[in-house]
Amino acid sequence: MVLCVHINAFPGDERSVAAVGRFIREHATAKALILDARTHRGGGPREMNVLLSYLFEQEALLAYLDTPRRNLELECGPPGDVLMREGHGPEGIHRREHRVHPHTTESRLFGARVFYLVSSRTASAAEHLALALQRTERATLVGETTAGANHFACPQPLGDSLAVVLPVGRTLDPDTGKDWEGVGITPDILVPADQALEEVLQRLR
């Protein structure tokens, strides 16, 4: 069975997180999983962590999230999650390590083939997931180079019901120390975004 899941965002609320886990458990017999993030505009790490726990057989480092320590005074650190623990960053930098921990009772998807569809609209947390899947070689990325929206941000009130969204840090590849701001992530298989799904289905036939 081939399972195709279209994802538009990771809102991070309890209902969405629970729905991801329930859906994956109910379809854990799939031999191939297609994650369609071509219109995914971002969000947080919670749904991502639930999804990844069903795909990795062993714990793995996925990415670093760095922010200047002075930004912590603004209560604007990296996206919070129990699976992001403090690491050792450069001087003056608060670093968190994003790691995946395998699910303890459901392992049927550990060996499934995984494809991740991307486009020039795939942004932010969806690019974070693209990096995680690509650098660990857990999925094949198919489509167009992503949007290049790396730097994470948080709102700061200005008064009079106004606020500014302030960039406070970046997500980076632990292997290269680079991020994808402004350049995006290049997929393993470059095809026009509207042909990405058919490309994968052809490869699965």
Side-chain angles (χ1 to χ4, degrees):
M1 179 179 71
V2 177
L3 178 63
C4 184
V5 184
H6 190 98
I7 311 170
N8 283 320
F10 290 145
D13 59 274
E14 295 297 334
R15 180 179 178 183
S16 177
V17 173
V20 170
R22 183 171 59 252
F23 183 85
I24 294 299
R25 286 192 302 273
E26 291 174 352
H27 298 86
T29 57
K31 301 303 181 185
L33 175 61
I34 302 171
L35 301 172
D36 188 348
R38 288 175 291 179
T39 57
H40 194 312
R41 304 305 293 165
R46 298 188 66 203
E47 291 91 348
M48 189 189 316
N49 287 334
V50 171
L51 172 65
L52 291 172
S53 72
Y54 290 94
L55 302 181
F56 281 78
E57 188 172 1
Q58 297 180 339
E59 179 181 341
L61 174 63
L62 303 176
Y64 291 149
L65 290 89
D66 284 3
T67 191
R69 289 192 177 276
R70 63 180 180 273
N71 286 349
L72 300 182
E73 299 176 4
L74 303 174
E75 298 183 355
C76 283
D81 189 272
V82 294
L83 298 186
M84 293 191 185
R85 64 193 188 200
E86 188 161 356
H88 299 286
E91 184 176 355
I93 296 296
H94 177 267
R95 169 167 290 173
R96 300 192 78 183
E97 298 179 349
H98 186 193
R99 293 181 175 270
V100 59
H101 295 272
H103 201 278
T104 57
T105 60
E106 178 55 78
S107 61
R108 287 175 291 176
L109 286 169
F110 287 170
R113 296 180 69 183
V114 182
F115 295 87
Y116 191 69
L117 309 187
V118 292
S119 77
S120 60
R121 298 173 62 193
T122 304
S124 191
E127 294 177 281
H128 180 142
L129 181 54
L131 169 70
L133 292 170
Q134 188 178 60
R135 71 168 294 272
T136 58
E137 299 183 351
R138 185 59 190 93
T140 301
L141 271 59
V142 183
E144 300 168 345
T145 300
T146 62
N150 172 282
H151 298 165
F152 49 85
C154 68
Q156 287 293 297
L158 298 177
D160 294 327
S161 301
L162 298 175
V164 61
V165 178
L166 182 68
V168 295
R170 66 188 186 115
T171 304
L172 58 141
D173 185 333
D175 297 327
T176 66
K178 296 180 179 179
D179 66 39
W180 62 86
E181 179 69 22
V183 297
I185 296 173
T186 302
D188 304 297
I189 301 171
L190 271 167
V191 296
D194 60 1
Q195 298 176 23
L197 179 56
E198 183 58 31
E199 176 71 23
V200 172
L201 294 176
Q202 288 284 356
R203 290 171 179 267
L204 288 172
R205 287 180 183 141

